[in-house]
Amino acid sequence: MRDNLKGTVPLLALLTAFPAMSTDMMLPALPSLAETWNQPLSVINLTLICFFVTYGFFLLFYGPISDRFGRRRPLLFGLAVYIIASFLCALASSASMLIFSRMLQAAGAAASSSLSMAMTRDIFSGQERERVLAYTAVIMAIAPMLAPVIGGWILVDFSWPWIFVIQAFMGGIGMLGVFRFPETLSSVSNTPFSRVMHAYGRLMLNPLYLVMVLVMSISLFPLYSFIAGSSTIYVTEFGLTEQKYSYFFAFNALAIMVGSITCLRLRKVFSSGNLMTMGFTGIFLGGILLLATGQHGPWSFALPMFLITFSIGISRPPSNNFVLEQVDRDTGSASSLLIFTCFTLGAAGMWFISLEWADKIPVLGTIALGCGALVLATWFILQRKGIRETA
């Protein structure tokens, strides 16, 4: 498998990109769905929030189950559920039906990103794993760049249900790839199924792992808040069309790719710890700029947000690797708990920005400023305590 990176990395990236594709593709349709079904945007945003909450909940099951039975079978099951749920979303005739179908879609999608990270841990180690995580992040960044643009194009010539038909097709491609991919777990756990979830108890006794999970999750909080609030900011506050909004969203998603590429280049010069310091500092500075200039127009908002997302792109690959370096067993469970925490806090950020704020931009700036300061301070403390780092 190591000799077949051309096939391995794209598949891992596709599986990791399922949440972004499932979420961002429908963002341009949110304002029109609220108008069509005569519902407030806060209700329509439940299609995002409930997706993330359900997604995070099911992550907790796929990880330990994959440690017990292997990665391949749970992954194929999850992809099958995802495909069926995508068609149900396309058939939804009300907000409540779409919310329920999105929750089912999330239950299937949870298998993909959780187990793709566990598969990365199975195949690669140390700096090689960090390099693969960075390459995966670069490829994965294409998803949030293209997804809203594709959604905007669909809305111009077709209707919103076709968004979910395309997602079902994407699930089918993922399933074909997994069918052709071998099992990556060399030896499954012999723990009885009734005690599979006990792995989380062991992880709760690992303080460095838990702190790093929180650092990683809090650093992503501003990005998820932006995802939920971006359509309101660009379409309602700045008066852009849905298609123009999708381009601005793609511009912000480009920042993840640029940040990940920068991470790959800079890691030849700087240590992983220094890259994380740079990234967390950038989130903090981006929050300051958002508060100072974000309300002056689309570009005055987009550029500070680009800095925040770019900084997340720099810090995310080494942060993911640092988290996984803190565990020697229960890798699937550790991966699931990490992504569960990220998405649970992300859902909280989506809920918070969806409240009836008079102006969401200063709220988003305050979130970025506060989260950046918190993770940066925590990271400095961890470095002084000598957190384990790869050579």
Side-chain angles (χ1 to χ4, degrees):
M1 287 180 287
R2 289 172 178 268
D3 298 329
N4 190 29
L5 281 181
K6 290 183 179 179
T8 302
V9 175
L11 177 61
L12 295 175
L14 173 64
L15 295 174
T16 309
F18 267 71
M21 290 294 292
S22 302
T23 301
D24 299 345
M25 194 181 291
M26 68 174 295
L27 290 178
L30 295 181
S32 61
L33 283 175
E35 184 177 344
T36 299
W37 286 331
N38 194 27
Q39 295 285 347
L41 195 59
S42 58
V43 172
I44 301 300
N45 270 350
L46 288 175
T47 60
L48 302 176
I49 297 170
C50 291
F51 178 94
F52 275 80
V53 172
T54 307
Y55 184 90
F57 177 76
F58 275 89
L59 284 173
L60 296 177
F61 292 93
Y62 283 116
I65 288 174
S66 74
D67 286 335
R68 179 65 179 85
F69 298 106
R71 316 297 188 204
R72 203 164 173 270
R73 284 185 290 174
L75 187 51
L76 289 171
F77 172 80
L79 288 170
V81 172
Y82 179 88
I83 293 170
I84 294 171
S86 296
F87 283 118
L88 291 177
C89 289
L91 297 173
S93 57
S94 65
S96 58
M97 183 177 177
L98 181 59
I99 291 169
F100 171 79
S101 300
R102 286 278 292 168
M103 292 172 69
L104 186 62
Q105 190 186 37
S112 61
S113 62
S114 170
L115 299 188
S116 65
M117 186 174 290
M119 289 163 67
T120 303
R121 180 67 163 80
D122 295 339
I123 303 170
F124 307 101
S125 61
Q127 286 195 349
E128 186 181 21
R129 186 195 309 130
E130 185 176 321
R131 178 171 60 89
V132 171
L133 286 171
Y135 279 127
T136 301
V138 171
I139 300 173
M140 188 183 69
I142 297 174
M145 286 175 57
L146 294 181
V149 175
I150 294 172
W153 287 344
I154 291 172
L155 293 176
V156 170
D157 296 320
F158 300 97
S159 56
W160 65 265
W162 282 98
I163 292 174
F164 296 104
V165 173
I166 291 176
Q167 291 179 5
F169 178 74
M170 179 186 71
I173 294 175
M175 179 170 280
L176 286 176
V178 175
F179 266 124
R180 301 181 62 179
F181 204 75
E183 174 60 54
T184 61
L185 188 62
S186 57
S187 59
V188 298
S189 168
N190 57 5
T191 303
F193 184 69
S194 60
R195 300 185 61 189
V196 159
M197 302 298 287
H198 288 199
Y200 291 117
R202 291 189 291 271
L203 290 172
M204 291 298 174
L205 299 177
N206 186 336
L208 280 180
Y209 166 80
L210 291 177
V211 172
M212 279 306 302
V213 164
L214 289 175
V215 167
M216 175 67 186
S217 302
I218 293 171
S219 71
L220 296 174
F221 196 93
L223 179 58
Y224 289 119
S225 300
F226 166 79
I227 290 172
S230 58
S231 61
T232 301
I233 292 171
Y234 281 115
V235 176
T236 304
E237 294 191 28
F238 291 138
L240 302 183
T241 64
E242 294 166 340
Q243 196 165 18
K244 286 183 179 179
Y245 154 68
S246 71
Y247 297 143
F248 271 98
F249 191 91
F251 173 73
N252 186 78
L254 175 65
I256 284 280
M257 176 182 287
V258 176
S260 299
I261 293 174
T262 304
C263 175
L264 279 171
R265 298 297 176 87
L266 292 181
R267 66 184 297 277
K268 300 175 182 177
V269 180
F270 298 99
S271 69
S272 299
N274 287 335
L275 290 175
M276 291 171 66
T277 302
M278 292 178 194
F280 298 155
T281 303
I283 297 171
F284 175 77
L285 294 176
I288 294 176
L289 290 175
L290 262 185
L291 289 171
T293 66
Q295 295 170 288
H296 297 164
W299 282 108
S300 69
F301 172 75
L303 292 176
M305 197 63 223
F306 187 96
L307 173 60
I308 293 170
T309 310
F310 169 81
S311 302
I312 291 172
I314 287 180
S315 63
R316 189 173 182 179
S319 296
N320 276 333
N321 194 43
F322 263 75
V323 172
L324 294 178
E325 283 295 321
Q326 308 312 311
V327 297
D328 298 317
R329 57 183 295 196
D330 304 318
T331 306
S333 302
S335 175
S336 291
L337 187 57
L338 166 62
I339 304 175
F340 166 78
T341 308
C342 288
F343 278 93
T344 300
L345 286 180
M350 289 179 160
W351 166 81
F352 188 72
I353 203 68
S354 297
L355 298 176
E356 300 299 325
W357 302 104
D359 189 345
K360 296 183 185 298
I361 295 174
V363 177
L364 189 56
T366 303
I367 289 173
L369 177 66
C371 291
L374 180 59
V375 296
L376 190 59
T378 305
W379 177 236
F380 280 137
I381 293 171
L382 288 173
Q383 285 184 306
R384 291 185 63 182
K385 290 181 176 296
I387 186 171
R388 188 166 73 190
E389 180 176 351
T390 54

